[in-house]
Every structure is written in structure tokens, then in C-alpha cells.
Amino acid sequence: MNDYYQDLGVSKDASPEEIKRAYRKMARRLHPDVNPSPEAEEQFKKVSQAYDVLSDAEKKRSYDQGADPYAAGAAGFGQGFSFSDIMDAFFGAGAGQAQRGPRSRQRRGQDALIRLDLDLADAVFGGEQELTVETAVVCSTCHGDGAQPGTSRRTCDVCGGRGEIQQVQRSFLGQVMTTRPCMTCQGYGEVLVSPCFECSGDGRVRTRRTLKIKVPAGVDTGTRIQLTGEGEVGQGGGPAGDLYVEVAVRPHQTFQRRGDDLHCTVELPMTAGALGTTLKLDTFDGVNELEIKPGTQSGDAMTLRGLGVTHLRGGGRGDLIVHATILTPTKLDEQQEELLRQLAALRGEERPEGRMTPAHPGLFGKLRDAFKAK
């Protein structure tokens, strides 16, 4: 008698799961597609024989009582051996077990992706937008059935309505039975006598339609909005997939977005920077006053709280940060030049000496800049 327990490397009280795991492990290593050596092929046959006996409760009981179905030239090796066992060995349990019977004509539709271009103001406050999309919808003639109204289907003559065809092939394992979808009916088990003229039997047609979408405040480029059930209708009038709207925010002429803050730049004459002033600034919330403090330098930042982008998750808004650029006059008349010379004399700056500044400001410099930005 063959020692099947030794061939699989399991004990006599091994559970069915342990036997199956042992077979999978050895089959992955010894299968001819993986290991083409003659020794591996012989070993694979022994392992397959052992699994054929030990995985069958009736054969295992007979073997334990002293009857070996493969001993002394017993015929029929592989008889009853399931191709799904080999599929299980490589792809896990159930991999070789296809769905039996005809398949349904209805399938879930694919998801669709469309781009939505938004102005920055629409991203700040949100709102309703219209979209024109081209997707598959249920055929209005056959209502997803696929058959011309007034006609019916007939059972497939090739597969007899099963939707699949079985084939028996000989291999070194013996006779192996495989199942594949019927090519005549495409696995449905039925054939359309007269396909719908409108959709050619698919149950759906492509068309343009307009959707209204609510864009939440705070979206940014790359944000995706999911519209459940607004995607492609499935074959045979199956349930529709989802529509994903990907936002792309157009660049603004004045404002630049960084996170939920908005940034802009104002140009000031030298006198306004030195003496200070109040400016009227056009924002997304209307006209707001901006106070320019005396001594403002180029690069200084002033913050208007709560005038930025609405937070996408949670309440509140970011800030509007205004950066100052001080303009030095390039053309002076005689009187202006004389006044500036008098000012330079009063400040002791007739012959100023340049001063090198650190490339990386220290701690106190960073604190100073942080306070100026507030």
C-alpha cells in the first residue's frame, strides 16, 4: 500500500482542512507548470493521488481499513479527480468553482468621472452648478430587456439553457472536466430572437443629459464629489454606477489660495508706507477697509480675519492675507528731489551705508515677522 499520509506530510488524525493545506503547499511547489523536472512530475502525481484518497471521506475510510484504490496497478487514476482541487491549490478555496447555471443579463454599470471647472468665488462659498454628461441610460424602446417589443427569447440550442458547456480532456492526471460559458448565448442560456432595433439588444443607449449638482463650500482642485446612481446604466438595464465629479479651480487674477487662506498683494507709494493710510479693498465679501500702519515695509503682511475660504469640513473660514509692496518713485521733479534731500538731511541719511542682513533670520527675527503678520 502507498503511504498517503507520508506523501502529504500529515498525521492520520489530520483534519480535512489540514489535508487541503498540505496539498496546496506541495502542489504549488511540484506542479509541472512551476517545476518541469521529471522527479517533480512523479512526486506531483503521488501527492495528487494521496489528496484524491484522503480528501474523500469514503475513500479515506476504505484506505484506513486496508484498501488502497491505487495499489498494485489499480486502474482509473484520477477518476473522480476534480479540476477545482488544482485551482484551489494555486488560488485558494473556491477558485475553481465557477457560478453554475446561466448568468443574468443585468449587470451593474460602470462608474463615470467628469471634470468641473469652478471659479475661485464658487469654491469659497459653494453653490449649485449645472453639468452636461454623456452616459448610458436605459433604452426607452425595450426598457432594458434587450428584445424588440412583442418578441420573446428562445432557449439556447447548444447549451440547452444552462449557459455553459462542459468539456472532458485527457491529461497526465487522467480525465479532467472543465466548464466554460456557451459561446452561442454568451452564457445567458437564452438567445434573443429579435434584438431591439434601438439598442441592438444591449438594453441601454448613450445620450446627453443635464444634471444639477450642489458644490459644497471649500472644495479645491482635486476634490471629488460622488453622485450615487448617476453613472453608467448597466447592461440589460442593470443598476447604474456612480458619477464622480472632480473639481478644478481656475486661477484668479487677484487672489491666490493657500490651504483655506487667500493671499493678495497691494502696491503702496513710499509716502503711504511711511505715514500709513487706509485702503478700500475689493474682496469676495464686498469692499473692506484695510489699515496700513506707519512704517510699513515691502513684504509686510496684514491679515483680515475670516475673509478666506470656507472650511470644507467644519465651520468657519480661513483668512485673507494682504502683502504690501512699497513703490519707490523713479522720476522726481526739482521740488520733490529737494524735499527728499531735506528729509535725508533731517534723518542723517545724506551718505547712508548699506547693511548686510542675515540670510536666515534668528529666533527674534522670526518672532518679529510673525507678529507683523497678525
Side-chain angles (χ1 to χ4, degrees):
M1 287 180 57
N2 298 300
D3 192 342
Y4 296 134
Y5 292 105
Q6 182 178 351
D7 291 342
L8 282 181
V10 296
S11 61
K12 290 187 176 182
D13 57 354
S15 65
E17 271 305 313
E18 291 173 332
I19 293 173
K20 183 174 288 189
R21 281 198 300 268
Y23 171 68
R24 289 178 189 166
K25 182 177 179 181
M26 300 187 75
R28 290 192 191 102
R29 179 168 53 87
L30 299 171
H31 193 277
D33 290 342
V34 178
N35 191 338
S37 68
E39 295 82 3
E41 182 176 344
E42 283 300 316
Q43 188 66 22
F44 182 70
K45 289 181 180 180
K46 291 179 63 177
V47 168
S48 299
Q49 280 186 357
Y51 180 69
D52 182 39
V53 173
L54 299 183
S55 63
D56 187 292
E58 191 64 32
K59 291 181 182 179
K60 183 175 183 296
R61 187 180 304 109
S62 299
Y63 174 72
D64 290 339
Q65 293 174 354
D68 183 353
Y70 294 106
F77 167 66
Q79 187 176 11
F81 190 84
S82 173
F83 180 70
S84 64
D85 293 332
I86 298 180
M87 297 295 290
D88 285 349
F90 285 93
F91 304 107
Q97 298 175 0
Q99 181 180 353
R100 297 295 182 183
R103 60 177 178 169
S104 172
R105 286 186 177 272
Q106 286 193 345
R107 296 184 183 180
R108 181 184 183 275
Q110 293 183 339
D111 296 335
L113 176 66
I114 189 171
R115 170 172 162 160
L116 173 64
D117 292 320
L118 284 181
D119 291 330
L120 183 57
D122 296 324
V124 171
F125 299 111
E128 195 172 69
Q129 298 285 328
E130 279 194 354
L131 282 176
T132 300
V133 296
E134 183 177 344
T135 57
V137 298
V138 176
C139 176
S140 59
T141 301
C142 66
H143 305 289
D145 182 68
Q148 187 67 17
T151 65
S152 59
R153 300 186 179 93
R154 62 176 174 82
T155 302
C156 178
D157 298 330
V158 176
C159 66
R162 294 187 301 275
E164 57 188 19
I165 297 176
Q166 292 182 336
Q167 290 182 325
V168 178
Q169 298 176 334
R170 297 191 60 82
S171 71
F172 66 89
L173 295 176
Q175 290 185 341
V176 178
M177 181 176 294
T178 58
T179 303
R180 61 177 178 84
C182 175
M183 298 300 293
T184 303
C185 65
Q186 304 301 317
Y188 299 125
E190 295 177 328
V191 178
L192 294 174
V193 177
S194 298
C196 174
F197 298 146
E198 184 70 24
C199 65
S200 301
D202 192 48
R204 56 184 180 171
V205 293
R206 299 195 69 81
T207 186
R208 285 178 176 268
R209 56 196 176 103
T210 301
L211 295 175
K212 287 188 176 180
I213 173 176
K214 186 176 181 180
V215 178
V219 295
D220 199 357
T221 297
T223 301
R224 286 192 177 183
I225 304 169
Q226 181 180 4
L227 302 178
T228 304
E230 295 292 350
E232 301 272 348
V233 167
Q235 184 179 359
D242 298 335
L243 175 64
Y244 290 89
V245 181
E246 185 169 272
V247 174
V249 181
R250 301 185 185 96
H252 194 270
Q253 186 176 2
T254 302
F255 299 104
Q256 182 182 14
R257 178 174 178 173
R258 299 177 193 169
D260 285 342
D261 292 333
L262 294 176
H263 293 254
C264 68
T265 300
V266 293
E267 295 180 341
L268 300 170
M270 178 183 64
T271 53
L275 300 175
T277 186
T278 300
L279 300 179
K280 289 186 177 180
L281 199 66
D282 286 327
T283 70
F284 289 131
D285 295 84
V287 178
N288 280 261
E289 288 190 348
L290 175 66
E291 181 184 356
I292 305 297
K293 296 181 180 179
T296 297
Q297 306 291 313
S298 281
D300 285 354
M302 294 143 284
T303 301
L304 296 176
R305 300 291 182 189
L307 296 184
V309 181
T310 305
H311 299 313
L312 184 59
R313 295 175 179 83
R317 296 171 61 182
D319 301 327
L320 173 59
I321 301 173
V322 183
H323 302 268
T325 297
I326 305 301
L327 300 178
T328 303
T330 56
K331 293 183 179 180
L332 299 172
D333 59 28
E334 292 183 1
Q335 184 180 4
Q336 293 169 347
E337 185 176 349
E338 180 59 31
L339 288 174
L340 280 179
R341 290 187 184 280
Q342 293 177 17
L343 176 62
L346 291 173
R347 292 179 55 83
E349 297 173 351
E350 299 97 324
R351 296 182 181 277
E353 294 183 1
R355 183 180 61 180
M356 303 291 287
T357 58
H360 303 285
L363 174 61
F364 291 104
K366 292 180 181 179
L367 291 174
R368 179 197 64 196
D369 294 340
F371 279 113
K372 281 186 177 181
K374 293 184 179 294

